[in-house]
Amino acid sequence: MTRVRASYLSRVGFALLCAVIQVTAFARSSAAQDGNGNLTGERLINARKEPQNWATYFGAYDGWRYSSLDQIRADNVKNLTSVWAFQTGKVEGGLNATPIVVDGIMYLIASENRVFALNAETGERLWTYNYKVPRDFASPYGKFNRGVAVGYGLVFFGTMDNHMVALDAKNGKEVWNVEVEDVKKCGCNINGAPFIVKDKVIVGGTGGDSAHRGYINAFNAKTGRLAWRFYTIPGPGEPGHESWGGTEMWKYGGGSTWLTGSYDPAQNLIFWGIGNPSSDFNNSVRPGENLYTNCIVAIDPDDGKLKWYYQEIPHDAWDFDSAYESVLIDVTRNGKTEKLLIHPNKSGYVWVLNRENGKFINAWPYVDTITWVKSIDKEGKLIGRNEPEIGKPNLICPNWGGGRSWNHSAYSPRTGFWYNDGIEWCANVTVFPQEPREGRSFVAGNVDVKPPPDGPIRAHLDAFDPVTGQKKWSVPFKYPILSSLLVTGGDVLFTGDVEGRFMAFDAKNGKQLWSFSTGSGLRGGPITYSVKGRQYIAVPSGLGSIFVSSMPRTWPEAAGWPGGSAVFVFALPQGK
Amino acid sequence: MMSVERILKTAILLPLLVLAFSSDREGSAQTSEKLSDPQFIADGAKLFATNCANAYCHGTGGLGGGAPQLRDRGIQPAYAFKSISNGISGTPMPAFKSMISEEQIWKLVAFIVSDAKSTPSSNPGADAGSSSTRSTPPTRLPEAGSPASSVGDEKAGKALFFDSSRPKNCSACHVFNGEGTAIGPDLSAAAANKSARDLFLSIILSRDVIESRYATIMVLLRSGDKITGVKKEEDAESIKVFDTTELPAVLRTVQKENISKIEFVKDSVMPTDYASSYTIKQLLDIVTFLKSSQTRSRVMLKDLFQ
């Protein structure tokens, strides 16, 4: 069967390849643009100088989800018109990805690790790669994928059965493929986007709730050789091992790395948010701080060595991953420029750290309803922890779904605002004792979603001062926002809702300026790019993920929301 | 879609299952009566809470999470029993028959088919407060006594076999009971038929490749590069090779047009430094694990040498 498909692909591929050559020849406008995903480590470091591309998962290494493109502005965004759409063909798992655009070609990954290269101007499909789904495959972490990395003429992604794969960016053919760890044994896989730092491709993994010891892996981008592995739980004899109280839980304690890190080239450090310890809710089995779970770790990308760490929530009992994005900003206060790291956590708090040394600067709440802790003091200490008791239901706000889901925030250097969404919700959490079984669910608690004490479950989209947390504006929503945010040099903020509306807001004041119904909820990452001087906005549409599949319990109407898996692309009408 | 699938499954499986249960299970009539026993349901609720109810799976009270809602859907007991026992292939639903007893599975069934509105979801730890909240302390490896009579530890051997923190762990190249990477022979059945001594020697000594499908090849590329490893598969235009130059192996897809020559190499790709990279106790543990798939016999250190 594969042979048939391969030869068919080769014929189609040849015809398409001719098309690619024509298109790319046309698209080459500068020496830097050599087509075929040939981003080097150097070009990626300078991604902000090539705003025509959306070169990395977050747009650039700083984690901003910002583009300086400004053809589409707050005063003309109402004229946006659809240019093309692309259907990936399978709706199970929805479309969670952020597309990458390099030199006029869009690289998109859909559920079951199907990868597409598209002409970013016309939507024409250049090639398709279909991953061979293992016959007996099963993972609680799903078949969806959040994105590829593109560089050195290769397209990199992790797979639902825990492989790393590199494709030839020219034709979508597999170049190398490495199994990271047997999915049947570890219960872990890869659905986060990798990112390229210099000559390495770096990727995290899931498994934080399945009795697994987490890690970050770096592969030599060209050869696929494992360059280093950073275990998020120190082994015997390593500093931090004592924070597991002498128990065996370091082997099963989670600390997954399921999203994507940021990179500061000036310091040559990558920053990665580490997931929750497990068992998630019963923390009595792992006495101690449980390093480096719920930490931001700063790692040398050349050798994987830890430079500093900061633990936001020691000895977690609420499943509050620190896995979310690290937003790197420089802020001048009192005449002094500080290199900061802004980090939203599932717990409803944002941590502000000095990214040169990991020192705590501030922690402020981005949701109103927080009951797991009373406050966080000036040193970052958690005051009044609402610790669980075995067998006794306890109302915890926000619940383990988070004050926000994993979909990412955005930062605009123009407004100086940090944009984020929030959910006001709680859950009755009942903790029970559980023994670990490697690779199997190790949660040790049940979560019964409840509204907050002061009203119904609700959500909001907000703009904040990233350091102080002062709210600049807020727009209420009925349902959680599950799409990542995008903010542009035209001061437009884009995101979408779970019913499929893709929306534009004035980044300065939150006024809604434009909306387009895509037909299925938005769960991926909208981006912007330009080809031949025309700015485009692309948004993945297609509801599906772990969060989404558990929505009908709380919102019964969600059971009727249609799935989907498509990219919609917009631009201003030409000649205007 | 889902419900049609379910109806079809139920329509096909139910008569067969009912037949199976009525013919060769004596206690089945008694069990089906128990499905409405409040105590049976309550026990099932507790089991459900700790085994099935997290949000990745069927949610609190079986009302849906990442996996489908189970209660108040008219699920047939026989179908539920079969699915819990054997798992559902192609989904994350595991087979529970090796983890809990048949009676416990029936208790789960009783809870699942009970009416969700009249049966509140359980409070899983409600009666657990009195028992220890700490997990039992880890069992320590048995201390080696008299070296020759020291006994291999199957569990420790398994951990070593699959230890992904070691680049040259066994599972990087061998499959055992369906887990691992199939570069060399599947060891689940093959190993059990060999003596402990043969297994020990085949781990520590360099060896010849017996089966041609595991032959070592060297692929010379037109670019001048070469890849040493084991062929996985090939099609009309490309060949997939496990590059074993360093472990874990990298599976490379090479277009045939880029290959100048493929040569066979006599030596196996298996590393030859296990005698120094593992202790004798660790090797004994690994051999014990390999022998475990068929026999339950103890493997002692002296068995490795005689």
Side-chain angles (χ1 to χ4, degrees), chain A residues 123-136:
Chain A
E124 179 194 10
R125 190 179 58 88
L126 306 176
W127 51 256
T128 299
Y129 168 84
N130 285 309
Y131 189 68
K132 234 191 244 176
V133 184
R135 217 160 19 121
D136 53 350

Side-chain angles (χ1 to χ4, degrees), chain A residues 62-78:
Chain A
D62 48 33
W64 290 0
R65 292 197 54 79
Y66 166 83
S67 165
S68 62
L69 293 179
D70 59 1
Q71 196 174 76
I72 297 163
R73 300 181 309 269
D75 62 5
N76 65 11
V77 67
K78 64 175 185 294

Side-chain angles (χ1 to χ4, degrees), chain A residues 178-193:
Chain A
V178 195
E179 179 168 42
V180 177
E181 196 176 355
D182 191 313
V183 68
K184 288 197 215 80
K185 174 181 162 272
C186 72
C188 59
N189 67 4
I190 305 173
N191 53 29

Side-chain angles (χ1 to χ4, degrees), chain A residues 138 173-177 179 182 184-185 209 223 225 229 231 248 284 400 430 435 440-441 446-447 549 553, chain B residues 49 54-56 60 64-65 91 99 123 134-135 138 162 164-165 178-181 237 243 246 251-253:
Chain A
K173 293 203 168 147
E174 199 169 295
V175 175
W176 58 255
N177 176 328
E179 179 168 42
D182 191 313
K184 288 197 215 80
K185 174 181 162 272
D209 303 330
T223 66
R225 292 254 173 256
R229 171 176 287 186
Y231 277 99
E248 293 289 293
S284 68
W400 77 334
T430 311
E435 290 291 322
R440 291 291 171 85
S441 174
N446 281 337
V447 179
S549 30
R553 272 220 63 200
Chain B
N54 87 58
Y56 283 113
T60 303
T91 77
M99 301 184 234
N123 214 347
R134 294 272 165 101
S135 70
F162 291 108
S164 81
S165 68
E179 291 170 15
T181 306
E237 45 188 48
D243 175 350
E246 277 177 54
L251 180 62
R252 301 200 184 284
T253 308

Side-chain angles (χ1 to χ4, degrees), chain A residues 2-3 6-7 10 132 135-141 143 173-182 184-185 209 212-213 215 222-226 229 231 246-249 252 280 282 284-285 287 319 390-393 400 430-438 440-443 445-448 546 549-551 553, chain B residues 48-51 53-61 63-67 89-95 98-99 121-126 128-129 131-136 138 155 158-159 162-166 171 178-181 232-237 240 243-255:
Chain A
T2 19
R3 284 178 194 201
S7 66
S10 75
K132 234 191 244 176
R135 217 160 19 121
D136 53 350
F137 172 76
S139 163
Y141 301 103
K143 295 179 172 178
K173 293 203 168 147
E174 199 169 295
V175 175
W176 58 255
N177 176 328
V178 195
E179 179 168 42
V180 177
E181 196 176 355
D182 191 313
K184 288 197 215 80
K185 174 181 162 272
D209 303 330
H212 182 247
R213 180 186 179 204
Y215 43 62
K222 285 178 185 160
T223 66
R225 292 254 173 256
L226 186 68
R229 171 176 287 186
Y231 277 99
T247 68
E248 293 289 293
M249 286 301 150
Y252 311 110
D280 300 28
N282 182 10
S284 68
V285 297
D319 187 23
I390 304 268
K392 193 178 149 199
W400 77 334
T430 311
V431 181
F432 53 82
Q434 186 184 358
E435 290 291 322
R437 290 168 66 105
E438 189 184 13
R440 291 291 171 85
S441 174
F442 189 39
V443 174
N446 281 337
V447 179
D448 198 3
I546 297 163
S549 30
S550 59
M551 279 185 83
R553 272 220 63 200
Chain B
F48 191 90
T50 50
N51 287 292
N54 87 58
Y56 283 113
C57 305
H58 300 290
T60 303
L63 295 171
S89 108
T91 77
M93 175 70 192
S98 60
M99 301 184 234
S121 67
S122 73
N123 214 347
S131 67
S132 170
T133 59
R134 294 272 165 101
S135 70
T136 48
K155 214 174 146 195
K158 185 180 182 185
F162 291 108
D163 182 359
S164 81
S165 68
R166 291 171 178 262
S171 73
E179 291 170 15
T181 306
K232 182 177 187 241
E233 59 193 39
E234 72 177 288
D235 60 22
E237 45 188 48
K240 289 192 174 184
D243 175 350
T244 55
T245 320
E246 277 177 54
L247 294 176
V250 177
L251 180 62
R252 301 200 184 284
T253 308
V254 188
Q255 303 306 311

